[in-house]
Amino acid sequence: MYRMLEKEAIKSLEDAVKSLGCEIPGEIKVEEPPNSNLGDLASAVSFQLAKQLKKPSIEIAKDILDVIETPEVFKSVEMKGPYINFFINYDTFSKMVLESINDDYGQLEEKNEKIILEHTSANPNGPLHIGHIRNSIIGDSLARLLKSAGYNVETQYYVNDMGRQIAIIVWGLLNFDYKIKEEEKVDHEIGKIYFQINEKLRADKSLKDEVSALLKRYESSRDDELADKFEFVVSNCLEGINETTTRLNISHDKYVWESKFVKEGTVSKILEDLKGHTKQNEVLYLPLEDYGIEKELILTRSDGTSLYSTRDLAYHLEKSENCDKIIDVLGSDHKLAIDQLSVALKLLDGKTPEVIFYEFITLPEGSMSTRRGVFISVDDLMDEAIERALNEINKRRKDLSDEEARIIANEIGIGAIRYFIAKLSPEKHIVFKWDEALSFERGCASIQYAHARACKLLEKASFDAYKIDNKDCSLEHQFEIELIKTLSKFTSVIEESARINRVHPVAQYAMDLAGAFNRFYKSVPVIGDENEVIRLLLVDKSRITIRNCLELLGISAPNSM
């Protein structure tokens, strides 16, 4: 809806420039002025025309003002110095905004474009840890955003079931009396076994050759019993990882096992297709100096077995054949690998992936104990967030039962983690701060609380949207107008965020919307006021938009807090 305002203003400016006999100066832009006294939108088009017309910009602005036609949605067009300023007709615009908001507000027109978005894809040799969580949350939130923007999105988890880490676990299970205990979460148990076997390998270097031999046997033979053992380890670990991601409100449409590309012969075909470009010494490699990359792409080990990079190449070729666009979410330490992969993909006529690189996340020292080994798992992080949220709720709400408090604490705790990570650009390093993440004033809880406030107010008024006739939409209070304007921007935020493949603008919008609603809630009387009906409608439309915005971030919108 806000985009419509911008388009109307730009069109009226273009028509005015044409009527003055001037060429339209490239792209005419409008922006929101720093304060409402300067209108709702403003344009510096007079500066753009100054060189062409060889006149002062303030004179050009006056000429434009003399001929411009005011679009219906605007009350007036005025000149503020050399700027052309548009003032919204809020009687008209408020009605348009309120009528445009329904339960699926934010779902844009369907686009005929399929995206395969790969995220998380952690090695299945233990539980997800804090190093993985940013990948998962960025990937899942971006998938939700792109779906809302009208794209057909398929999310994939690329399963590294042929890596050396898995071979280490399988070798340990075959040679030592390790058992996966049923009383502990299976991915944590596998992570412990992996750690213990690695300690044995460090102590006796000669054992590494046995692991290498096992990996070669798995890749080159049809040993069904060995394949079952690899599958047992990976499937069990994925089961535990899936429990974790489900708690985080994250899911994948498809799990792609890398071993399929070896078993189906795709890797061998790729090596054959690249023959004219590769070289051989101890290993087979693709030299990349001619493409501005000093480090070559190694394609096989010295024993002839494939590497992750080779199988990843096969995986990206498969994605190329099944979508219009590939998006990968990867840590910033993968930049060289992606540059290498992209060259090989071009040689094989594959699509180059669009990559969201992210920096890593850390916890302040001493803020959380490491209860299960040498890393902090995502399960530990979620448990800690929920317990901290529960302590805060118990201070604020003595009226809740233990079960009610626990449900709300879960929504707040998970929301705090997801929002804190989603709100920052992926290029920025994050230090996870508990007080900030769980703040009822500055964190995600403040947004969830705005939704709960709206629900409580509507319940108290026995509001029924179907019985509302919103012919009269005269909203005059400054906080009503601010809220209408903020509501109108939701679809524009989705459109722009999808264009740049970033979710942090959505997170910022959620906070801005909650702030606008809270200012309205605290300052504008609703129940019992002569404008009760239209203000209740405004509350309901705010509730819907906050809920839908949080949904894009994978965060629950509680009805009560």
Side-chain angles (χ1 to χ4, degrees):
M1 187 58 66
Y2 191 75
R3 186 77 76 209
M4 179 273 295
L5 277 180
E6 294 176 323
K7 286 178 179 177
E8 289 283 323
I10 290 168
K11 186 178 184 308
S12 68
L13 287 167
E14 287 175 344
D15 291 344
V17 169
K18 284 178 187 175
S19 72
L20 291 173
C22 303
E23 285 185 27
I24 295 174
E27 184 184 5
I28 295 178
K29 293 183 178 180
V30 290
E31 295 181 349
E32 198 168 346
N35 68 69
S36 57
N37 294 330
L38 299 174
D40 299 287
L41 290 173
S43 173
V45 65
S46 59
F47 290 96
Q48 293 176 272
L49 290 166
K51 187 175 180 181
Q52 181 188 148
L53 298 179
K54 296 182 174 56
K55 288 173 65 174
S57 54
I58 198 159
E59 288 185 25
I60 297 170
K62 186 177 183 305
D63 291 341
I64 291 172
L65 200 64
D66 287 341
V67 298
I68 197 166
E69 292 187 11
T70 304
E72 187 179 344
V73 74
F74 293 102
K75 180 174 62 179
S76 64
V77 182
E78 300 177 15
M79 187 179 139
K80 303 288 184 181
Y83 295 92
I84 304 294
N85 299 65
F86 294 80
F87 292 78
I88 294 172
N89 179 340
Y90 277 98
D91 287 347
T92 302
F93 186 61
S94 298
K95 189 173 191 300
M96 292 169 67
V97 172
L98 294 174
E99 287 178 348
S100 72
I101 299 175
N102 51 28
D103 275 342
D104 66 351
Y105 183 50
Q107 182 59 53
L108 306 188
E109 189 176 339
E110 190 174 322
K111 296 174 177 64
N112 187 27
E113 188 171 345
K114 181 178 178 181
I115 296 170
I116 291 179
L117 194 162
E118 181 209 340
H119 69 83
T120 306
S121 298
N123 287 334
N125 63 332
L128 292 183
H129 57 72
I130 196 167
H132 301 123
I133 194 170
R134 199 171 190 188
N135 187 314
S136 301
I137 289 172
I138 290 172
D140 181 72
S141 301
L142 182 58
R144 292 166 182 266
L145 168 66
L146 292 170
K147 286 175 185 176
S148 187
Y151 294 95
N152 174 13
V153 182
E154 181 179 287
T155 53
Q156 293 188 358
Y157 188 120
Y158 184 45
V159 182
N160 179 6
D161 64 311
M162 293 196 84
R164 190 173 182 85
Q165 297 96 328
I166 311 304
I168 286 170
I169 298 169
V170 172
W171 177 82
L173 292 174
L174 290 171
N175 289 279
F176 299 96
D177 188 28
Y178 287 115
K179 295 282 190 297
I180 296 176
K181 301 170 187 173
E182 292 184 6
E183 62 268 19
E184 185 162 0
K185 194 162 173 281
V186 65
D187 51 333
H188 285 270
E189 190 64 23
I190 288 172
K192 280 185 177 179
I193 292 171
Y194 176 68
F195 178 77
Q196 290 164 5
I197 297 169
N198 256 317
E199 291 298 295
K200 291 182 183 295
L201 293 172
R202 284 194 190 95
D204 185 349
K205 306 288 186 188
S206 65
L207 296 175
K208 289 185 178 180
D209 292 338
E210 293 185 26
V211 175
S212 298
L214 182 72
L215 194 57
K216 185 171 184 179
R217 184 174 133 214
Y218 176 52
E219 183 170 327
S220 58
S221 72
R222 296 292 178 184
D223 187 332
D224 292 339
E225 189 176 336
L226 182 60
D228 288 345
K229 187 65 77 173
F230 270 78
E231 186 175 343
F232 169 79
V233 170
V234 174
S235 295
N236 274 279
C237 199
L238 282 178
E239 181 185 320
I241 288 171
N242 192 46
E243 284 179 35
T244 302
T245 55
T246 299
R247 283 183 74 194
L248 264 177
N249 300 327
I250 291 170
S251 63
H252 290 83
D253 298 316
K254 189 175 181 181
Y255 289 79
V256 180
W257 290 48
E258 65 172 348
S259 56
K260 69 174 274 191
F261 301 111
V262 173
K263 293 172 182 176
E264 293 174 358
T266 315
V267 166
S268 297
K269 185 178 184 306
I270 285 172
L271 296 178
E272 185 66 29
D273 290 344
L274 285 173
K275 248 185 182 175
H277 306 281
T278 55
K279 292 184 179 180
Q280 179 91 42
N281 47 35
E282 289 183 3
V283 297
L284 183 69
Y285 68 96
L286 179 67
L288 300 171
E289 297 98 330
D290 291 347
Y291 303 93
I293 302 170
E294 290 185 17
K295 190 169 176 58
E296 70 278 2
L297 176 61
I298 299 173
L299 297 169
T300 64
R301 294 186 181 92
S302 56
D303 63 4
T305 53
S306 64
L307 292 165
Y308 179 87
S309 56
T310 331
R311 302 186 293 269
D312 196 28
L313 189 51
Y315 174 45
H316 277 81
L317 284 174
E318 180 183 85
K319 289 193 280 190
S320 294
E321 293 167 2
N322 290 289
C323 69
D324 300 295
K325 183 192 291 185
I326 302 168
I327 298 177
D328 296 342
V329 182
L330 295 169
S332 58
D333 56 336
H334 285 75
K335 287 180 179 177
L336 172 60
I338 284 295
D339 287 344
Q340 294 171 319
L341 180 79
S342 297
V343 172
L345 282 169
K346 285 177 184 175
L347 293 173
L348 295 164
D349 296 324
K351 292 183 175 72
T352 302
E354 294 182 23
V355 184
I356 314 301
F357 290 111
Y358 62 90
E359 292 298 328
F360 293 96
I361 178 170
T362 55
L363 284 166
E365 189 175 351
S367 70
M368 188 175 164
S369 61
T370 309
R371 294 191 289 272
R372 294 192 177 114
V374 296
F375 56 78
I376 295 168
S377 75
V378 175
D379 293 312
D380 291 338
L381 190 73
M382 288 189 289
D383 290 344
E384 184 93 7
I386 291 166
E387 286 306 311
R388 288 176 183 245
L390 186 60
N391 290 337
E392 188 63 31
I393 289 164
N394 287 335
K395 290 178 196 172
R396 293 167 176 258
R397 295 286 305 273
K398 305 291 185 185
D399 57 313
L400 295 174
S401 68
D402 289 346
E403 184 181 0
E404 288 170 328
R406 177 65 67 174
I407 289 170
I408 295 171
N410 187 76
E411 292 178 314
I412 292 173
I414 300 301
I417 293 171
R418 289 199 60 139
Y419 186 81
F420 193 88
I421 289 169
K423 74 176 184 175
L424 287 176
S425 167
E427 293 81 11
K428 294 182 179 177
H429 174 257
I430 292 180
V431 177
F432 193 88
K433 299 175 183 175
W434 287 108
D435 291 344
E436 191 177 330
L438 289 164
S439 170
F440 275 63
E441 287 73 40
R442 303 184 311 279
C444 182
S446 66
I447 304 168
Q448 293 172 307
Y449 191 48
H451 181 269
R453 272 180 159 174
C455 291
K456 186 175 181 180
L457 187 56
L458 294 167
E459 182 183 14
K460 186 177 179 182
S462 302
F463 175 77
D464 186 348
Y466 294 104
K467 294 181 180 178
I468 298 293
D469 179 5
N470 60 325
K471 287 179 182 175
D472 179 16
C473 285
S474 49
L475 301 172
E476 297 179 354
H477 194 286
Q478 70 176 95
F479 291 139
E480 290 176 318
I481 289 170
E482 179 193 9
L483 184 52
I484 280 285
K485 196 170 177 181
T486 306
L487 288 169
S488 76
K489 294 178 180 178
F490 185 39
T491 52
S492 298
V493 170
I494 292 171
E495 191 178 319
E496 177 59 18
S497 299
R499 186 187 69 80
I500 62 174
N501 287 333
R502 292 292 185 273
V503 297
H504 62 279
V506 177
Q508 183 58 55
Y509 173 81
M511 186 63 74
D512 292 344
L513 177 57
F517 177 78
N518 286 330
R519 286 187 287 277
F520 163 83
Y521 180 89
K522 290 174 182 175
S523 303
V524 181
V526 178
I527 296 175
D529 189 86
E530 61 179 349
N531 295 313
E532 175 180 329
V533 172
I534 193 63
R535 286 176 177 170
L536 282 172
L537 186 63
L538 182 55
V539 171
D540 190 46
K541 302 302 185 179
S542 300
R543 173 192 66 82
I544 290 169
T545 310
I546 294 170
R547 180 199 67 198
N548 291 1
C549 191
L550 286 173
E551 175 64 26
L552 293 181
L553 300 170
I555 296 169
S556 299
N559 293 337
S560 171
M561 279 177 68

